[in-house]
Amino acid sequence: MASSSPDDQPKPTEFKNFLTISRFMRPDDANNQGNVHGGVILKMIEEIGAIISTKYCNYIGRQLPNYEECVAALARVEKTNFLLPMFIGEVSMLEARITYTSPRSVEVSVDVWAENVIKGEKRLTNRASLWYVPLTTKEVRTVVPVPKLQLPEEEEKRGTARYEQQKFERHHSQRCTEAPRVLSSDPAEEFTVDHATTTLAHLIGQLDCNLYNFVQGGVMMKLMDECAGIATAKHCKTNVVTVSVDAINFSEMVPKGSLLTLTGRPTFASNKSLEIEVIADAEVLFRSERRKFRAAAAFFTFVSLDKDRRPIAIPPLQLKTDIERKRSEEGKLRYERRKQERAH
């Protein structure tokens, strides 16, 4: 048998801080009017972010002492705007790069483009920023150190400021601790919170999980967007599309076999947009580990479109209780803040 020389052995691939993925958008990616679901785009964004951050932590980490193989898990998604729509038949092109590293986390920036390959037109549809933590493959709940990304001094300062800001927001964000209310079996009055409130139940299977049997963050975001979209459609009774998602913190990993229950309820309606709060609760069903916990919560904003895909007025949201009025006041503050952010 011929022996191979050291030069014949596979060599580690050099890490390049840029990754692209393209995919043709199919009919099952979109609603009945041909608009690609926001949740589909969020899932693609998370997938490319997980790939590049896992590659970085392993490719660069091999050069460091005490290296452990690891897999990147989504910890937080910053506020994401949907700048332009994407349609069936277009090609989605995602570009990702690492923009900052802390000792225990990786920041990934993702741009999403839509290309009409027939007309040769290309447009930017989304920009997103995500934070990942590397977990050792030996014990998937244990975070391992992140190799430092070498950046120019000014970029390092800006990255540190973003890291400190997201850490502050994660620890001081308003956490929804209330359990979703059980609705009456009687039909609710149209345009009320109860009428639009939607609950989805999903049993986490193998296709929803990474190689280590925990649900992928992109799968959860897709389900949350779907729940929010149904609630918005019930209120507006038109074609609706996602225009933004506020920051999402993922508090705990959800294992395979868990029951994920998502509840979406309208909180605030402006003239042209509707805010939906989505709460994702997980229940571990294994007899030896049975427990419930809050997996994630976020605010999604949708707009209503006419048959020509132009924004139209949102029906006013009828508020029946003091709690609903309080949520609406808080939603209005978030709405005004988003307007100010867009203006800048």
Side-chain angles (χ1 to χ4, degrees):
M1 175 182 288
S3 61
S4 58
S5 68
D7 291 340
D8 296 330
Q9 299 300 316
K11 295 181 175 61
T13 306
E14 179 185 356
F15 175 78
K16 296 181 180 179
N17 191 7
F18 187 74
L19 181 64
T20 62
I21 292 177
S22 298
R23 184 161 83 75
F24 183 76
M25 305 314 295
R26 306 181 304 265
D28 59 341
D29 294 319
N31 62 20
N32 292 333
Q33 283 69 41
N35 295 90
V36 173
H37 293 297
V40 170
I41 296 171
L42 291 171
K43 185 172 183 288
M44 293 190 298
I45 288 172
E46 195 278 328
E47 286 173 349
I48 193 172
I51 292 169
I52 194 170
S53 50
T54 298
K55 287 179 68 174
Y56 173 80
C57 291
N58 286 281
Y59 284 30
I60 306 301
R62 289 191 188 99
Q63 306 168 14
L64 305 178
N66 304 319
Y67 158 70
E68 292 185 66
E69 289 186 351
C70 59
V71 59
L74 182 64
R76 175 179 168 89
V77 181
E78 299 294 356
K79 183 178 183 298
T80 304
N81 291 315
F82 291 73
L83 308 174
L84 291 170
M86 190 181 298
F87 303 106
I88 294 173
E90 294 186 319
V91 174
S92 63
M93 297 184 295
L94 290 86
E95 301 172 347
R97 64 187 182 95
I98 309 291
T99 48
Y100 179 77
T101 58
S102 76
R104 299 281 175 172
S105 63
V106 178
E107 182 190 43
V108 180
S109 292
V110 180
D111 288 345
V112 183
W113 300 81
E115 182 180 13
N116 185 316
V117 294
I118 296 175
K119 297 181 178 180
E121 297 172 349
K122 180 180 173 182
R123 63 190 183 281
L124 181 68
T125 63
N126 298 77
R127 275 203 166 124
S129 180
L130 308 90
W131 293 88
Y132 290 83
V133 293
L135 307 175
T136 173
T137 57
K138 297 177 182 177
E139 173 52 59
V140 184
R141 296 183 184 274
T142 301
V143 180
V144 298
V146 174
K148 184 170 178 57
L149 178 68
Q150 299 301 319
L151 293 170
E153 184 177 353
E154 286 303 314
E155 285 188 37
E156 180 74 22
K157 288 181 180 178
R158 290 194 294 268
T160 301
R162 292 193 302 272
Y163 168 73
E164 294 296 340
Q165 180 66 26
Q166 66 85 25
K167 188 166 72 169
F168 175 84
E169 292 178 0
R170 194 172 68 246
H171 291 152
H172 294 83
S173 62
Q174 181 181 0
R175 292 181 173 86
C176 179
T177 56
E178 63 180 286
R181 188 162 62 89
V182 177
L183 300 179
S184 168
S185 58
D186 297 329
E189 183 182 349
E190 282 194 340
F191 307 122
T192 60
V193 173
D194 283 357
H195 179 264
T197 295
T198 298
T199 299
L200 298 181
H202 182 81
L203 187 66
I204 301 300
Q206 187 64 61
L207 293 178
D208 302 318
C209 296
N210 58 25
L211 295 177
Y212 303 95
N213 293 324
F214 290 96
V215 69
Q216 298 179 79
V219 169
M220 191 179 299
M221 288 195 291
K222 184 176 184 294
L223 290 168
M224 294 173 76
D225 178 79
E226 181 180 341
C227 183
I230 294 172
T232 306
K234 287 171 68 176
H235 181 78
C236 298
K237 299 174 178 60
T238 61
N239 177 27
V240 298
V241 294
T242 316
V243 293
S244 71
V245 184
D246 284 6
I248 308 175
N249 295 312
F250 295 84
S251 55
E252 189 172 342
M253 293 185 296
V254 180
K256 184 179 72 173
S258 300
L259 179 66
L260 193 64
T261 303
L262 304 103
T263 303
R265 62 190 176 201
T267 48
F268 172 74
S270 70
N271 183 47
K272 289 291 180 67
S273 66
L274 182 67
E275 180 190 74
I276 305 289
E277 181 181 29
V278 180
I279 300 165
D281 288 326
E283 180 179 0
V284 181
L285 300 177
F286 310 123
R287 191 182 299 273
S288 59
E289 304 177 31
R290 187 156 190 167
R291 62 193 179 92
K292 295 181 179 180
F293 59 92
R294 178 66 40 84
F299 293 100
F300 289 70
T301 302
F302 283 75
V303 294
S304 176
L305 304 179
D306 64 15
K307 60 183 177 61
D308 297 317
R309 294 173 174 160
R310 292 176 299 198
I312 56 176
I314 298 283
L317 182 62
Q318 297 183 25
L319 307 171
K320 298 292 187 180
T321 68
D322 289 341
I323 292 177
E324 291 174 359
R325 283 185 277 272
K326 181 175 184 295
R327 290 198 199 109
S328 182
E329 291 171 1
E330 294 169 347
K332 185 176 182 180
L333 292 176
R334 288 187 293 271
Y335 168 75
E336 295 294 343
R337 186 180 69 242
R338 294 182 198 113
K339 282 180 61 177
Q340 291 177 358
E341 291 172 352
R342 285 197 302 271
H344 292 86

